[in-house]
Amino acid sequence: MVFEKKSNKKVIVVGAGFSGMACAIKLLEAGYSNVTVYEKNANVGGTWETNKYPGLTCDVPAMSYTFSFERSPEFSRQYPAWQEIRAYCRNVSAKYDLNSYIQFNKEVAEADFLDNKWHIKTTDGESDIADVVIMATGVLRNLNYPDIPGMDDFAGDLVHTGKWDESLNLKGKRVGVIGNGATCTQLVPAIIDEVASLELFQRTAHWVAPFIGGNPDVSESQRQALRDDPQRMQDTANRMLKSIEKMVDGILVDTTGQTTANLKQQCMDRLGEIKDPDLRAKLTPDYKPGCKRFIWSETFYPAMQKENAHLVTEGIESIEPKGIRTADGKLHEMDVLILATGYRMHDYMRPMKIRGEAGVLLDDVWDDGEFALRGVAIPEFPNMFMIMGPNSPLTNFSVIEVAEWQIGYFMPLIEQILSGEFLSVQASAEATKIFNDKLIASMPDTIWAAGCNSYYLDKNGNPNVWPDTVASYRESMKTADMKEFVVRWEDRESKVS
Ligand code: NAP
């Protein structure tokens, strides 16, 4: 595809996952071809490029887990394996010729706002300069390594699911898994039949519901029918998104509690099928459903009932060369230790060092907790926009939809910078404070503050997600209210009214 060049001004996008790809496509389509995307991996796809642990599956119906402008019927199941999501990303990239704009294997280490430009440095010492920078770094990026004494002493193979070693042979091995979130519930059923034994170290039980609508195969004739009728494909995806939205809203704001009650019943029905009462009791959560992100799996409980599967709920005391020592003094010997301990969701763009106006360091600005204006902009960081920043909706809804809304929201601002109309634009400190004060005030009433520990909570224990309906966030992303931004022109600055 050839794109017209509308401005000499340059945009740097950091990250070529779903969000970064959407940014690049939207900029190119709008005629701005002076775009460079920096991507630390060797290919597009972000978390779908780095993750490849056994059993990895998309837990959102795949047709709705696509760009709204590039729906695809090319999935073999409703919830397909990761290879199909990865292939989708690569196909979209090829279709839009994104690879011509992406610098692969380049991780941005620093971004400094100097003389109204963003100065970028990569970890390999290269530099670049742009008028606008978009941080599309995603949240499933910085691996969470648990702080357990003795971790480095383990003599066997130690692997984090987010950095899976495909040469690792689990056949006949004694395997330990720490963590029982979405990743674990996909991993365990995929490996249970090949390992000699599997001990799952569970700190907190999760609510595990059956897949919405099951996980039926999609036949070639069904796929062909969708290829032949793009409108039907779009309608199908929209229907799926509507039903997820209804469920997410139901968990969060349904005052009747009916959605949560229904989901809980489905979880309880599945728990009821576990034959061993002790195992059933240990797998039954003791906190309100929805407090942590719901997990979908049909196969996790059957896997945990196999003879070679063992659930360990004694706390982990330390890791030793031969295995894990639990609080009851028992040493659980193993050959392989798998960390399914997730991500540091609140790191956002870090460890990148980002300095805004007058050299202010983002790490210092966020020292007391991460915040932003509507998840996309930060005061004192002009001409910088984020996707999936603090308080973006991050529950069971499709993050691709949210990313597209956010891009639609800040794109007109970027266009005014690129056209030379604005010298700079940044979130107003006052508007950001008002916005965040409102968010914080509404959090104690949300399900996330119901007393469980989850990655929704920041270091102060405040949920850092969108505390209202999906529609209310979508609405707030329709148009930027310029009263919430400070704009600079060559000769003047806007004032917040
Ligand atoms: P997670 O949900 O954050 O779960 C991490 C698990 O590790 C939890 O069970 C946690 O226990 C445990 N853990 C962490 N530190 C520990 C410690 N020091 N000792 C013992 N246990 C510890 O991570 P995840 O399962 O990787 O999932 C992360 C997110 O990735 C998901 O919520 C989802 O957004 C995404 N994901 C998506 C898909 C998909 O198909 N789209 C698939 C997989 C993951 P506690 O619960 O007690 O904290």
Side-chain angles (χ1 to χ4, degrees), residues 127-204:
S127 54
D128 199 354
I129 299 177
D131 299 276
V132 174
V133 66
I134 304 174
M135 299 296 181
T137 47
V139 285
L140 302 178
R141 187 169 54 89
N142 289 308
L143 305 182
N144 177 38
Y145 283 93
D147 187 14
I148 301 172
M151 181 83 82
D152 295 339
D153 299 336
F154 184 61
D157 291 312
L158 178 80
V159 63
H160 192 294
T161 53
K163 212 174 174 186
W164 192 256
D165 174 359
E166 284 175 293
S167 68
L168 187 62
N169 182 5
L170 297 176
K171 204 167 168 47
K173 300 275 173 67
R174 298 165 303 166
V175 173
V177 179
I178 302 180
N180 55 311
T183 297
C184 157
T185 51
Q186 296 181 346
L187 171 84
V188 168
I191 63 173
I192 192 66
D193 289 332
E194 63 175 309
V195 301
S197 64
L198 185 146
E199 288 187 291
L200 171 55
F201 294 82
Q202 171 186 286
R203 190 164 63 179
T204 322

Side-chain angles (χ1 to χ4, degrees), residues 297-361:
S297 175
E298 306 278 1
T299 50
F300 177 58
Y301 292 154
M304 286 309 296
Q305 290 182 82
K306 299 219 167 173
E307 264 186 21
N308 58 341
H310 311 280
L311 184 69
V312 183
T313 54
E314 288 291 337
I316 297 174
E317 201 166 77
S318 60
I319 297 178
E320 302 182 5
K322 285 187 170 173
I324 291 181
R325 174 95 48 195
T326 44
D328 55 0
K330 184 173 175 191
L331 177 65
H332 303 256
E333 293 194 19
M334 57 194 67
D335 308 305
V336 181
L337 174 54
I338 300 175
L339 303 176
T341 44
Y343 296 85
R344 299 198 310 271
M345 302 282 196
H346 301 278
D347 280 5
Y348 296 101
M349 299 86 90
R350 293 170 285 191
M352 204 188 305
K353 291 288 170 208
I354 305 173
R355 295 174 201 88
E357 279 189 323
V360 61
L361 187 65

Side-chain angles (χ1 to χ4, degrees), residues 74 137 206 263:
E74 309 304 335
T137 47
H206 283 243
L263 278 167

Side-chain angles (χ1 to χ4, degrees), residues 16 37 39-44 93 99 102-106:
V37 182
E39 169 53 57
K40 73 177 174 57
N41 294 327
N43 216 317
V44 297
S93 183
N99 288 8
I102 303 175
Q103 300 255 340
F104 288 110
N105 301 307
K106 291 262 178 223

Side-chain angles (χ1 to χ4, degrees), residues 470-489:
V470 172
S472 71
Y473 190 75
R474 182 170 49 229
E475 193 57 35
S476 92
M477 285 290 103
K478 284 234 160 95
T479 320
D481 176 353
M482 293 314 294
K483 292 200 289 302
E484 296 189 334
F485 289 88
V486 176
V487 177
R488 291 204 182 106
W489 291 269

